[in-house]
Amino acid sequence: MTPIYTPERPLRVAVIGSGPSGVYAAEALLKQTDVPAEVDVYDRLPTPYGLVRYGVAPDHLTIKSVTKGFEKTLADPRVRFLGNVEFGTDLTHEEALAHYDAVLYAVGASSDRRLGIPGEDLAGSMSATEFVAWYNGHPDAAARELLLHASGVAVVGVGNVALDVSRILAKTTQELHRSDIAAHALTALDSSPVQDIWILGRRGPAQAAFTTKELREFGELSDAEPVVIPTEIALTDAEEAAITDNTKKKNVEVLREFAAHEPEDKPRRVHLRFLVSPVEILDDGHGRVGGLKVERNRLDENGNAVGTGEYEVLPAQMVLRSVGYRGVALPGVPFDEKRGVIPNAEGRVEGRAGEYTAGWIKRGPSGVVGTNRKDATDTVAHLLADAKAGALPGAAQSTREAVDALLASKGVHVYTFADWQVLDAHELAEGKTLGRPRAKVVHREAMLGLRRG
Ligand code: NAP
């Protein structure tokens, strides 16, 4: 049987989103030799790598070293990076289907879940997602003026994002200088009066979602120390015996060490609190956060939090909700509103031949960067099986040149991988002169001004 796709007429795939799942999908398409493929990886931002650049904590530089592999993928001649192209407007769903044999959505989860309690829209209450985007220099968040007047900050949720935002707030300027935090955030945090940070888990220590390495970091900060209330982490023998997950066991051990630790009178304290749920964000009388009312909980027989009717007010002037990211619908693409994902069967978009999905928009916001490699590879395996079976609908007779002409006709200024390399080199060189790992360019116009030639 004559193969459908050949080096002269390769399988043409558009990957929407250049975060880890998108780049891992491109990598999986390159790694196989059964089906010759060419891949266009799109991003609405000029910069590639999604959450690796704008989500991973700026002081977790080793996690960001995955970009070395991503660079190799995007620099491969079979792949193009098309940054600064918004799916839905610059490239519509219909246009994507007309120009590619397959379209793979890997746009992550750019929004967040809300608490649904009174006071959530007061000034000083925001999502951890927004705060993370701000300190990481995301172009859409960089212009925000944050009210960093708080001596008390409550962070709701006990996942790794809650630990990230709390650690960034707890670190000194000297500690942050060694990170690639955006300059505006470094300056703003330098005058932050924060003294107390409460990280709030609605269930017990054995149910916390964070990982042990990240928890331990609170014992290693120069000007901040962890505070744990022994009674809040006390477990019955039965509860202790029920912990089967190794990470959760180690978390409990570290929390016990923190609870036993003699106070060192450091100027900042990070309180790891358990069995408390926020019930209302209080107004200070001027439309700003004046406190957080929490209710004490107990665990029921299924391990769910149940309110006890006992309340406490934390003297916080800032509340960061860190209770999970949430996917956002793409124009023309099916969306499960309840779960915030694209409905799919193992990466095949439900009811749509030739459309696929990978990463957080496929399975929801869970796992670490590397989790997306297997996830994307699994989706690509289905895509390739469909391609080999002749099950892709369009077999679009298009070319890279036709895509370029389409985007140019719409006045879209594509930011290429070569352009990104200019920006990347610029940021690294600027960082070097400042004694920092990188000096991020945060404004879109400034990024677009730095390009090849
Ligand atoms: P997450 O791990 O899912 O944690 C969400 C937390 O919010 C949980 O503790 C959850 O508690 C709590 N929560 C949910 N609804 C709540 C409510 N209404 N009231 C109070 N608490 C509520 O999410 P994430 O922290 O956003 O992280 C997302 C993913 O990225 C995770 O897989 C994480 O490990 C990963 N990540 C990894 C790193 C790293 O490796 N260093 C850094 C950042 C993020 P319940 O369990 O009670 O629902």
Side-chain angles (χ1 to χ4, degrees):
M1 199 173 90
T2 331
I4 307 171
Y5 305 102
T6 62
E8 295 70 41
R9 170 48 177 105
L11 171 74
R12 289 180 41 75
V13 182
V15 172
I16 312 300
S18 69
S21 55
V23 183
Y24 283 134
E27 182 194 76
L29 285 160
L30 298 187
K31 271 196 160 168
Q32 53 83 42
T33 48
D34 285 0
V35 183
E38 68 181 21
V39 190
D40 281 351
V41 180
Y42 287 88
D43 206 292
R44 70 184 186 87
L45 294 177
T47 50
Y49 312 143
L51 271 197
V52 175
R53 181 171 165 99
Y54 292 121
V56 170
D59 56 344
H60 281 173
L61 294 169
T62 46
I63 299 182
K64 298 187 191 217
S65 58
V66 312
T67 56
K68 286 274 160 272
F70 292 176
E71 275 166 19
K72 265 175 96 178
T73 300
L74 294 189
D76 189 288
R78 293 166 290 170
V79 176
R80 298 195 304 175
F81 171 65
L82 292 92
N84 198 38
V85 183
E86 177 112 26
F87 181 85
T89 50
D90 298 335
L91 180 77
T92 65
H93 178 247
E94 293 72 27
E95 287 162 347
L97 294 182
H99 286 276
Y100 297 93
D101 300 301
V103 183
L104 190 154
Y105 308 106
V107 293
S110 58
S111 188
D112 74 295
R113 294 181 49 224
R114 289 176 65 89
L115 296 169
I117 60 170
E120 213 168 343
D121 293 316
L122 289 170
S125 159
M126 73 180 90
S127 69
T129 317
E130 285 174 82
F131 190 59
V132 168
W134 172 77
Y135 64 57
N136 275 331
H138 190 294
D140 296 347
R144 278 197 66 162
E145 288 273 336
L146 287 196
L147 275 176
L148 282 172
H149 65 292
S151 60
V153 180
V155 180
V156 182
V158 280
N160 278 327
V161 171
L163 299 196
D164 281 350
V165 297
S166 303
R167 190 179 64 255
I168 295 301
L169 282 164
K171 278 194 167 180
T172 60
T173 310
Q174 287 72 20
E175 285 170 308
L176 292 175
H177 191 79
R178 298 193 287 270
S179 77
D180 72 3
I181 192 167
H184 62 256
L186 188 62
T187 307
L189 289 167
D190 185 42
S191 48
S192 153
V194 72
Q195 291 178 340
D196 289 284
I197 299 159
W198 293 275
I199 305 178
L200 307 174
R202 61 179 167 183
R203 299 190 287 153
Q207 286 81 33
F210 49 61
T211 42
T212 316
K213 184 171 157 282
E214 282 65 27
L215 176 62
R216 268 190 215 287
E217 287 182 70
F218 288 99
E220 298 156 5
L221 301 178
S222 77
D223 273 11
E225 59 188 313
V227 180
V228 173
I229 302 172
T231 51
E232 283 187 350
I233 60 157
L235 298 175
T236 62
D237 290 346
E239 285 169 334
E240 181 108 30
I243 314 175
T244 48
D245 180 299
N246 225 1
T247 301
K248 301 218 179 325
K249 265 189 204 163
K250 286 198 208 136
N251 284 347
V252 170
E253 281 169 28
V254 174
L255 288 165
R256 284 185 182 141
E257 286 167 28
F258 287 170
H261 144 110
E262 282 296 318
E264 293 172 73
D265 288 331
K266 289 188 178 177
R268 289 176 173 169
R269 290 163 295 275
V270 180
H271 308 261
L272 290 136
R273 298 283 313 262
F274 295 94
L275 293 164
V276 281
S277 279
V279 290
E280 183 179 359
I281 303 177
L282 306 175
D283 192 326
D284 70 351
H286 305 282
R288 305 198 309 195
V289 173
L292 178 67
K293 186 172 173 184
V294 298
E295 181 175 13
R296 280 205 63 74
N297 295 329
R298 62 174 179 79
L299 289 186
D300 69 10
E301 56 285 357
N302 301 317
N304 294 321
V306 185
T308 61
E310 264 177 71
Y311 298 93
E312 174 187 349
V313 173
L314 301 174
Q317 301 82 39
M318 184 179 192
V319 174
L320 294 172
R321 58 177 182 276
S322 182
V323 294
Y325 284 80
R326 198 185 142 71
V328 174
L330 286 171
V333 181
F335 190 66
D336 178 339
E337 278 297 339
K338 202 157 165 247
R339 294 184 55 223
V341 298
I342 297 174
N344 69 91
E346 296 177 27
R348 290 181 172 108
V349 178
E350 271 179 18
R352 298 283 182 95
E355 293 179 58
Y356 300 84
T357 181
W360 279 6
I361 197 67
K362 166 188 173 187
R363 69 172 195 280
S366 66
V368 294
V369 173
T371 314
N372 296 297
R373 183 179 226 153
K374 179 170 186 318
D375 182 300
T377 305
D378 289 349
T379 294
V380 166
H382 292 305
L383 190 164
L384 290 168
D386 294 348
K388 281 191 241 176
L392 300 181
Q397 296 301 321
S398 184
T399 57
R400 289 177 161 182
E401 292 69 32
V403 169
D404 292 343
L406 168 76
L407 294 171
S409 74
K410 295 174 88 175
V412 180
H413 296 286
V414 176
Y415 203 70
T416 65
F417 190 65
D419 294 331
W420 155 248
Q421 286 176 311
V422 171
L423 172 58
D424 187 34
H426 169 87
E427 290 188 343
L428 293 172
E430 285 286 297
K432 202 164 180 195
T433 61
L434 298 167
R436 304 195 53 211
R438 172 184 293 274
K440 276 187 179 176
V441 174
V442 297
H443 294 290
R444 196 184 270 260
E445 291 311 315
M447 289 178 187
L448 295 177
L450 281 160
R451 54 166 73 219
R452 195 167 62 156

